[in-house]
């Protein structure tokens, strides 16, 4: 458990005429810090215009991290967009666990924000 | 003037010139001018000789010249005289002579033959010049040079003190000397030479405000010369009644950067004054010593600071790593002897009040055994009023700046104990408590055996700080471990204690909790033998941690077994598990791989729910992934379309199911990881237990942060 293995950076982003919560996650997510990620995700607020969880810089995620993401996706439905680069560890994990079809997965921050820009898309 | 007067004799020798002229020169010379006969009896003696040697002409003349020769130079006179009697002159021969009062003086001699009118050598004339002063100047200059040279090399304060004391006591002929250092409001002796042990006993450290020479000089910053017992008694009334063994004293301050930080004191057996040259020498030597000492101190300070820094850095790193408490304390003790101590021990108080030695380390590997032996044969008495028991009882640290032998004698339980203690060497020690949440549960002892490196308040503050951090880490680890142990115990208790026996099939399954310090996960497996000769294998992972995950798993596993035995197919059984999960008050995600094998049909049906693919090794050795059409993890999404898949699995094949801990590694691509597992599985032995050993070794599951479950089934090849 090396300190600082998981970095969380919560903020907001403007897209269209709305503001969405934006959580940048970096490092490794596993049993030891999945709770930390869960709290950060919960703190983004569930009922806003939308939430982006950017996992671009997550080099490793295990099933406990996956559980946090999938629960958030279930609770927020289409208001949650996950960013993970094609071919990245997170994307492969989502594919292998057949979870990719259950989350709105975008390849970049830009795409994620665009996906949340249209209120009717939600 | 009688004819045989020395002046007359010399005047006669002088040749044609009128005697009076020479007589006047001899009379007024500053050099001693003496004549002696062939038997070395003094025949003439001028006033300068009287001044130099203290004998009057009446006393000297007719006396053998040997009265002037020091006993240690007895043969010298004969050699000189023999040379002169052969007609040779001795020029500027530097030697030592003794005056009437016993004082020694250095002289330069010029000795010439005295001849009578026939040219026969009848004696010798001696011109002696007192060069004591020159000689002394040269000697003191040489000593000062030696002091400077030696001090520029000496890097430890103790060596500096030794060199200075040696040079100045010898240089001035002092019988004893001491160097004191100002420590707070005390003067502490840091070196001495020549004093009796009894004489020093009360003066190892004394108050700065005392009316004694060394304290006075520190306070005034000025040199103090006391010549004779009267002066001494007059200046220091405290000595009025004392027997004075050293009637003269020279005491000088050691000054660096304008501050008096120490004092040097020299004692003399005789009443003697100090001339300007000697005072200058002492001043210069003391100044050199002060510079060298302050340099050595700052160098030592730097080294000590560097040692402290290194210790802190290493200890900090150590304490941030997950380790079990004992291992952490053992490593801490190891780091301590690398930088801060020669010997370090850690004792913990167990719940029954007994002290347990957790770590004993020594900088010298040879001594480790000795240190262990000491701890084992002479365990710390729990009721001891000092040391570890006291620190644990009171929670207060102990600092022993010095450990004198008497303390060891007092502490030793018997002679053998004393011998061990002395062999290990204890010159300074610290004992600090391990305290967390208001409870002292142990103590760390730091010992140095190098007398040059005593512990001070700064060292104590450092290790106290560190002990506080270490105590918190250890306390957390203990609490955590208690919980971890409970979760592991529960987890293990909830897993199948045995696997069913099914003809033609062999099984093995493993559960490995995550490395200590990591969380306990919720991996599980189940094997159910079916009435139709088939078997249901399941492996799963409850996301979540600790006792909670274990208890969720504990409800799942028997339920699944029941669903399977009730005759539900793979798809239906898994769906029921999913529904069960959704009823849980808190949502838990699980992934699982569920496989039914029908040996008669040589076919398998499987459901893969958010789980990595199972593997089948065909009789030919090829490994296939059971990827099929998967479904998402269970327990989260209400609606899932359950799907199962078929696969041919012939006799002689082997099936391997596992959880993600086996293949998920930071910085390793999941696909690469699965490839690696497949290659390992290809070469694995046919026996399921051996195969799992093999795979565990190849995939290195030791020490990872996630738990791992493994399940292997070997389908025996049909008899030919």
């Amino acid at each position: 458990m090396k300190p600082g293995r998981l970095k969380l950076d919560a903020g907001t982003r403007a897209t269209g005429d709305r503001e969405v919560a934006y959580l940048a996650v970096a490092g490794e997510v596993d049993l030891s810090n999945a709770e930390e990620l869960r709290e950060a995700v919960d703190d983004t607020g569930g009922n806003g215009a939308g939430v982006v969880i950017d996992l671009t810089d997550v080099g490793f995620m295990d099933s406990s991290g996956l559980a946090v993401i999938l629960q958030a996706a279930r609770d927020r439905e289409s208001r949650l967009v996950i960013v993970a680069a094609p071919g990245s560890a997170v994307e492969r994990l989502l594919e292998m666990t057949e979870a990719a079809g259950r989350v709105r997965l975008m390849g970049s921050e830009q795409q994620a924000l665009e996906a949340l820009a249209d209120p009717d898309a939600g | 003037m009688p004819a045989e007067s020395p002046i007359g004799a010399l005047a006669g020798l002088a040749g044609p010139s009128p005697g009076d002229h020479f007589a006047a020169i001899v009379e007024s010379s500053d050099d001693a001018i003496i004549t002696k006969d062939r038997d070395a009896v003094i025949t003439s003696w001028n006033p300068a000789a009287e001044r130099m040697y203290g004998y009057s002409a009446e006393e000297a003349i007719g006396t053998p010249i040997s009265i002037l020769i020091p006993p240690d130079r007895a043969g010298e006179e004969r050699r000189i005289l023999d040379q002169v009697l052969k007609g040779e002159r001795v020029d500027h021969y530097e030697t030592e002579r003794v005056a009437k009062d016993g004082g020694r003086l250095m002289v330069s001699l010029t000795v010439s033959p005295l001849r009578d009118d026939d040219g026969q050598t009848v004696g010798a004339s001696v011109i002696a010049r007192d060069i004591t002063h020159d000689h002394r100047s040269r000697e003191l200059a040489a000593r000062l040079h030696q002091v400077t040279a030696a001090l520029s090399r000496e890097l430890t304060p103790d060596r500096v003190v030794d060199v200075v004391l040696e040079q100045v006591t010898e240089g001035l002929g002092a019988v004893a000397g001491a160097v004191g250092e100002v420590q707070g409001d005390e003067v502490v002796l840091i070196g001495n030479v020549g004093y009796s042990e009894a004489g020093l006993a009360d003066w190892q450290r004394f108050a700065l405000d005392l009316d004694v020479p060394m304290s006075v000089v520190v306070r005034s910053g000025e040199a103090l010369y006391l010549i004779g017992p009267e002066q001494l008694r007059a200046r220091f009334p405290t000595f009025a009644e004392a027997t004075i063994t050293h009637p003269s004293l020279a005491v000088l301050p050691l000054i660096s950067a304008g501050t008096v930080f120490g004092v040097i004191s020299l004692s003399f057996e005789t009443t003697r004054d100090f001339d300007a040259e000697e005072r200058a020498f002492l001043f210069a030597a003391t100044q050199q010593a002060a510079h060298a000492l302050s340099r050595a101190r700052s160098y030592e300070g730097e080294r000590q600071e560097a040692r402290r820094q290194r210790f802190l850095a290493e200890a900090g790193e150590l304490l941030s790593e997950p380790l079990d408490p004992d291992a952490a304390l053992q490593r801490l003790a190891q780091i301590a002897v690398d930088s801060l101590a020669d010997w370090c021990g850690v004792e913990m108080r167990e719940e029954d009040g007994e002290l347990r030695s957790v770590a004993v380390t020594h900088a010298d590997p040879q001594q480790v055994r000795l240190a262990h032996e000491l701890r084992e044969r002479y365990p710390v008495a729990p009721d001891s009023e000092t040391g570890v028991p006291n620190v644990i009882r009171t929670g207060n640290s102990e600092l022993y700046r010095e450990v004198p032998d008497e303390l060891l004698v007092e502490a030793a339980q018997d002679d053998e104990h004393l011998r061990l203690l002395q062999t290990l060497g204890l010159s300074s020690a610290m004992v600090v408590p391990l305290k967390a949440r208001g409870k002292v549960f142990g103590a760390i002892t730091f010992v140095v055996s190098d007398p040059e490196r005593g512990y001070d308040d700064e060292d104590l503050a450092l290790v106290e700080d560190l002990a506080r951090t270490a105590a918190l880490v250890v306390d957390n680890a203990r609490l955590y471990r208690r919980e971890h142990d409970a979760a592991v115990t529960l987890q293990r208790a909830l897993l199948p204690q045995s696997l069913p026996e099914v003809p033609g099939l062999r099984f093995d399954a493993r559960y490995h909790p995550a490395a200590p310090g990591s969380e306990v996960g919720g991996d599980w497996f189940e094997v159910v033998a079916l009435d139709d000769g088939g078997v249901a294998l399941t492996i799963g992972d409850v996301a979540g941690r600790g006792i909670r995950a274990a208890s969720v798993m504990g409800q799942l596993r028997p339920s699944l077994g029941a669903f399977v035995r009730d005759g539900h197919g793979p798809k239906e059984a898994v769906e029921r598990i999913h529904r069960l999960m959704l009823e849980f008050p808190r949502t838990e995600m699980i992934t699982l791989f569920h496989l039914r094998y029908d040996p008669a049909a040589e076919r398998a049906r499987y459901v893969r729910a958010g789980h990595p693919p199972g593997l089948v090794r065909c009789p030919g050795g090829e490994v296939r992934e059971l990827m099929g059409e998967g479904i998402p993890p269970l327990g989260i999404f209400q609606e899932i379309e359950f799907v199962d898949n078929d696969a041919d699995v012939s006799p002689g094949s082997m099936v391997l199911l596992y959880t993600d801990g086996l293949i998920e590694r930071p910085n390793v691509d999941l696909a690469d990881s699965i490839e690696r597992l497949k290659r390992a599985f290809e070469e694995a032995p046919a026996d399921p237990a051996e195969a799992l050993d093999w795979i565990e070794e190849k995939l290195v599951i030791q020490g990872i942060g996630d738990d791992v479950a493994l399940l292997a089934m070997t389908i025996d090849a049909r008899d030919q």
Side-chain angles (χ1 to χ4, degrees):
Chain A
M1 274 182 293
K2 292 162 205 114
R5 225 157 44 89
L6 176 66
K7 273 193 201 137
L8 298 165
D9 188 8
T12 56
R13 294 283 189 283
T15 179
D17 53 359
R18 47 209 325 224
E19 191 172 73
V20 297
Y22 190 91
L23 178 67
V25 187
E28 297 170 2
V29 187
D30 64 15
L31 261 181
S32 71
N33 54 29
E35 268 316 299
E36 212 181 313
L37 176 64
R38 184 191 302 279
E39 284 164 20
V41 171
D42 289 348
D43 288 346
T44 58
N47 303 313
V51 176
V52 177
I53 301 177
D54 189 341
L55 302 175
T56 308
D57 292 325
V58 172
F60 175 78
M61 191 160 88
D62 74 358
S63 60
S64 52
L66 178 69
V68 174
I69 297 301
L70 294 189
Q71 279 156 11
R74 176 198 60 199
D75 297 343
R76 291 172 175 76
E77 299 179 332
S78 62
R79 293 195 312 283
L80 175 76
V81 178
I82 300 295
V83 182
S88 66
V90 170
E91 198 248 11
R92 281 176 190 274
L93 178 72
L94 290 171
E95 292 294 340
M96 187 190 74
T97 57
E98 308 294 334
R102 298 300 179 123
V103 296
R104 288 183 82 184
L105 185 62
M106 299 292 165
S108 69
E109 177 184 342
Q110 179 69 24
Q111 289 170 16
L113 292 176
E114 279 168 14
L116 288 172
D118 181 0
D120 301 327
Chain B
M1 205 174 282
E4 71 273 22
S5 93
I7 309 304
L10 205 63
L13 151 99
S17 305
D20 288 353
H21 183 56
F22 280 96
I25 294 172
V26 170
E27 203 70 20
S28 60
S29 169
D30 280 340
D31 293 340
I33 300 175
I34 307 164
T35 57
K36 54 188 180 186
D37 63 16
R38 293 181 65 101
D39 296 324
V41 173
I42 296 167
T43 51
S44 70
W45 188 260
N46 75 341
E50 195 172 322
R51 287 195 297 275
M52 256 170 80
Y53 296 115
Y55 297 101
S56 67
E58 284 71 31
E59 288 174 305
I61 292 169
T63 312
I65 202 156
S66 58
I67 57 164
L68 303 178
I69 316 287
D72 48 312
R73 291 181 181 269
E76 191 181 278
E77 167 60 14
R78 198 62 241 168
R79 275 203 315 278
I80 293 174
L81 193 59
D82 285 350
Q83 197 178 338
V84 172
L85 292 180
K86 274 188 262 168
E88 292 165 25
R89 213 167 82 155
V90 174
D91 266 331
H92 305 299
Y93 180 79
E94 292 191 4
T95 184
E96 210 177 2
R97 289 294 176 256
V98 195
K100 188 181 173 186
D101 65 1
R104 300 257 179 139
L105 53 157
M106 290 300 297
V107 293
S108 170
L109 302 180
T110 298
V111 188
S112 314
L114 267 183
R115 298 192 174 87
D116 64 10
D117 295 345
D118 303 331
Q120 293 292 310
T121 304
V122 295
S125 74
V126 181
I127 303 172
R129 171 164 294 177
D130 183 353
I131 57 163
T132 307
H133 185 75
D134 297 356
H135 183 79
R136 185 108 192 97
S137 302
R138 285 204 310 259
E139 195 208 333
L140 290 181
R143 288 226 180 252
L144 193 59
H145 181 71
Q146 280 176 37
V147 170
T148 309
L151 291 186
S152 67
R153 288 192 305 269
E154 295 307 338
L155 287 172
T156 70
D158 283 16
R159 284 293 302 145
V160 168
V161 169
D162 288 350
V163 166
V164 170
L165 278 176
E166 183 188 326
Q167 293 294 332
V168 296
T169 51
E170 282 181 14
L172 293 182
V175 290
V179 174
E181 188 181 44
V182 179
Q183 287 182 15
D185 51 7
E186 284 185 322
V187 175
V188 177
L189 284 201
I190 56 172
N192 70 84
V193 60
Y195 291 108
S196 70
E197 248 178 66
L200 275 177
D202 296 337
W203 295 100
Q204 286 301 335
R205 50 174 63 225
F206 47 93
L208 200 49
D209 57 7
L210 226 54
D211 193 30
V212 295
M214 285 175 91
S215 293
V216 166
V217 166
V218 169
R219 294 203 303 270
S220 71
E222 281 173 22
L224 178 66
Y225 292 95
L226 291 165
I227 296 133
E230 294 75 27
Q231 255 191 36
L232 196 58
R233 288 206 173 93
R235 172 63 189 82
F236 294 99
T238 38
F239 295 147
E241 301 303 315
T243 315
I244 291 177
T245 48
H246 302 129
S248 299
L249 280 181
V251 190
L252 286 95
L254 292 167
I255 301 175
S256 175
T259 307
V260 182
F261 69 92
V263 56
I264 181 163
S265 175
L266 302 176
S267 299
F268 299 84
E269 256 177 339
T270 56
T271 298
R272 55 106 84 210
D273 201 353
F274 302 89
D275 64 24
E277 206 114 26
E278 288 174 330
R279 292 183 189 217
F281 164 73
L282 259 185
F283 177 77
T286 306
Q287 209 166 34
Q288 294 282 359
H291 288 159
L293 209 49
S294 75
R295 198 173 58 232
R297 280 271 184 258
S298 78
Y299 179 72
E300 194 187 53
E302 267 167 42
R303 272 192 318 180
Q304 248 171 29
E305 190 51 36
R307 272 201 299 265
R308 289 189 187 119
Q309 289 300 333
R310 186 152 63 94
F311 181 56
L312 269 191
E314 287 176 9
E317 199 173 311
L318 159 71
L319 293 173
S320 69
E321 286 170 22
L323 272 177
D324 79 278
D326 282 11
L329 290 168
Q330 279 154 10
R331 289 262 301 276
L332 187 70
Q334 192 55 50
I335 293 170
V337 298
D338 288 342
S339 49
L340 203 72
D342 291 318
W343 180 23
C344 182
V346 183
E347 260 99 11
M348 300 275 262
R349 182 167 58 186
E350 297 298 288
E351 278 164 16
D352 58 7
E354 290 290 306
L355 292 180
R356 178 173 63 98
S357 172
V358 175
V360 179
T361 57
H362 200 290
D364 175 1
Q366 301 288 324
Q367 302 269 52
V368 174
R369 199 186 46 78
L370 206 60
H372 270 292
E373 196 184 327
L374 183 78
R375 280 288 196 247
E376 270 163 33
R377 288 182 51 187
Y378 300 97
V380 181
D383 53 351
S384 172
E385 283 171 18
T386 54
V388 171
N390 185 52
V391 169
I392 291 181
R393 215 166 26 239
T394 63
N396 298 324
S397 307
E398 290 181 1
L399 169 63
Y400 300 92
R401 290 170 207 275
E402 285 168 31
V403 181
D405 206 48
E406 303 87 76
L407 199 65
L408 294 186
V409 173
E410 203 177 294
Q413 297 169 22
D414 56 36
D415 288 351
E416 178 63 11
H417 192 198
L418 180 62
R419 192 192 61 78
L420 277 173
L421 288 171
Q422 284 167 336
T423 309
L424 271 168
L426 282 124
S427 68
S428 182
M430 302 183 279
V431 188
V432 294
L434 285 166
K435 182 161 64 176
R437 292 181 296 137
K439 263 173 65 183
V440 184
F441 55 86
I444 314 181
T445 309
F446 300 84
V447 175
V448 280
S449 43
D450 177 359
E452 296 196 359
R453 224 183 91 189
Y455 289 128
D456 57 20
D457 293 331
E458 227 171 305
D459 290 308
L460 184 66
L462 170 88
V463 295
E464 277 181 337
D465 252 10
L466 191 84
R468 259 192 293 279
T469 313
L472 281 178
V473 168
V474 168
D475 187 52
N476 280 342
R478 286 168 124 200
L479 283 179
Y480 184 75
R481 191 151 97 162
R482 223 164 286 153
E483 194 186 315
H484 184 273
D485 287 351
V488 170
T489 307
L490 180 61
Q491 178 86 343
R492 288 198 188 283
L494 294 173
L495 287 172
Q497 302 303 303
S498 63
L499 298 175
E501 304 220 345
V502 181
L505 301 178
R506 286 178 286 153
F507 306 100
D508 196 38
R510 308 274 169 85
Y511 172 73
H512 299 282
S518 305
E519 302 288 348
V520 176
D523 284 4
W524 57 283
F525 57 84
E526 174 68 300
V527 180
V528 179
L530 301 169
D531 294 340
D532 62 4
V535 66
L537 309 180
T538 313
I539 200 149
D541 173 6
V542 179
R545 56 185 186 170
I547 292 172
R548 184 179 163 77
S551 68
V552 169
M553 180 275 283
Q555 296 172 65
L556 274 182
R557 194 181 61 81
S559 304
L560 180 70
F563 298 146
V564 169
R565 286 190 194 91
D566 283 353
H568 295 290
K571 214 162 61 170
E572 292 75 23
V574 173
E575 182 167 359
R576 280 181 158 70
I577 287 293
H578 176 60
R579 298 286 155 218
L580 182 67
M581 294 293 298
L582 289 178
E583 283 168 24
F584 278 17
R586 187 177 138 173
T587 60
E588 300 289 347
M589 182 188 92
I590 69 164
T591 72
L592 61 77
F593 195 101
H594 178 70
L595 178 144
R596 303 283 177 95
Y597 181 61
D598 178 352
E602 300 178 8
R603 289 183 68 77
R605 290 187 75 75
Y606 63 91
V607 179
R608 185 173 68 83
H611 205 88
L615 300 179
V616 176
R617 185 176 70 182
C618 305
E622 182 208 350
V623 171
R624 284 184 290 146
E625 287 177 25
L626 300 179
M627 186 65 93
E629 189 180 339
I631 58 173
L634 311 180
I636 294 182
F637 305 104
Q638 286 289 330
E639 296 310 320
I640 294 178
E641 193 183 328
F642 288 82
V643 186
D644 55 15
N645 305 271
D646 278 320
D648 290 327
V649 179
S650 54
S653 298
M654 197 168 174
V655 174
L656 175 68
L657 306 183
Y658 53 92
T659 56
D660 60 352
L662 185 66
I663 52 166
E664 287 180 354
R665 296 282 185 282
N667 308 318
V668 179
D669 189 278
L670 209 46
D672 291 348
S673 222
I674 292 177
E675 272 313 308
R676 203 164 62 129
L677 172 60
K678 285 164 71 177
R679 279 198 306 277
F681 188 34
E682 271 170 18
E683 292 163 4
D687 177 75
E690 287 172 21
L692 291 185
D693 287 344
W694 172 270
I695 284 161
E696 285 168 6
E697 192 191 320
K698 292 286 171 191
L699 277 277
V700 191
I701 62 160
Q702 277 284 298
I704 63 166
D706 196 3
D707 52 355
V708 178
L710 289 161
L711 175 54
M713 173 176 73
T714 299
I715 301 142
D716 290 333
R718 298 264 164 82
D719 293 335
Q720 298 300 305

